[in-house]
Amino acid sequence: MIRVNKILGNIHTQALENYQSDIIEIAWYDTRKKIARLMTQASRDIAMKLESAPKEGISDGDIIYQENGLVIFFKILATKVLYLYAKDVVEVAKINFELGNRHAPLFFGDSEFEFQTPYELPLQKLAEKLMVKYEIKESILDSKKRLNVSMPHSEPNTKIVLSNTFSVNIIKEK
């Protein structure tokens, strides 16, 4: 059994050509776990107890083991997603209010007027009722793209800035 207690980096930002890879596949809803017993694709037993888990949760590609020529990292599995496309800031407000009112998890899409939420038929019916353009796709819901209202309060080096186009920019200060 391999015991791990911290995130060591991310495969998307590190050069790992000389390492053998092993993957732990997890669902998007398991990305906020700090303590878990996991199994890699190569059947390695992992005991995870994160001392300081990322506030946003585990992200796709996060490395939890990197020794002896082996790197073990997380892969978030794709899931059925309702992709919502707002045409203006009024629709952004509607989407955020209505989904927040239902306590549905909400993630940023590929642009500032796109949002993602795990697919549920009642949410699809809500999008139809609100006349918001939507698509149903397979997508990875990564923790780093999750909207979290408490994030600015728990993140001491973060500022929320409103731009001229009424979009919200979250800036992490160094």
Side-chain angles (χ1 to χ4, degrees):
M1 175 180 6
I2 300 172
R3 296 184 190 279
V4 296
N5 59 10
K6 63 183 170 181
I7 303 292
L8 303 173
N10 192 290
I11 62 163
H12 303 297
T13 59
Q14 293 184 357
L16 300 167
E17 297 87 27
N18 299 327
Y19 284 87
Q20 175 191 357
S21 296
D22 199 359
I23 299 169
I24 299 171
E25 293 180 328
I26 58 171
W28 70 269
Y29 49 80
D30 286 332
T31 59
R32 294 195 173 193
K33 289 185 177 180
K34 291 171 57 173
I35 301 170
R37 192 74 179 262
L38 307 161
M39 189 67 66
T40 69
Q41 286 182 339
S43 299
R44 290 183 176 92
D45 190 17
I46 306 291
M48 178 179 78
K49 186 175 181 181
L50 299 178
E51 293 170 354
S52 58
K55 285 184 173 54
E56 300 91 17
I58 296 165
S59 290
D60 190 54
D62 277 353
I63 299 168
I64 58 168
Y65 182 83
Q66 187 176 357
E67 288 182 22
N68 306 323
L70 174 66
V71 63
I72 300 173
F73 61 91
F74 287 103
K75 178 180 181 348
I76 300 173
L77 298 170
T79 190
K80 193 174 182 181
V81 169
L82 185 65
Y83 236 88
L84 302 161
Y85 303 96
K87 64 180 175 246
D88 55 27
V89 293
V90 173
E91 276 196 354
V92 169
K94 276 190 211 177
I95 290 167
N96 283 277
F97 175 80
E98 292 293 344
L99 290 176
N101 202 28
R102 287 162 177 75
H103 300 277
L106 191 60
F107 297 78
F108 285 110
D110 297 326
S111 76
E112 64 184 355
F113 286 101
E114 295 177 16
F115 300 93
Q116 304 175 67
T117 189
Y119 177 80
E120 292 179 7
L121 182 59
L123 295 179
Q124 178 184 349
K125 298 290 184 194
L126 174 65
E128 291 168 0
K129 179 182 169 187
L130 295 173
M131 294 184 289
V132 172
K133 182 181 169 191
Y134 70 89
E135 282 184 280
I136 299 166
K137 298 181 179 183
E138 287 284 318
S139 184
I140 293 173
L141 296 175
D142 198 336
S143 292
K144 66 184 172 205
K145 289 187 164 189
R146 187 170 183 163
L147 279 84
N148 187 349
V149 75
S150 63
M151 188 269 305
H153 303 290
S154 64
E155 194 70 44
N157 298 326
T158 303
K159 277 199 278 186
I160 295 180
V161 179
L162 293 175
S163 71
N164 295 347
T165 61
F166 297 105
S167 63
V168 176
N169 298 316
I170 299 174
I171 301 168
K172 290 196 176 192
E173 299 174 331
K174 295 184 181 177

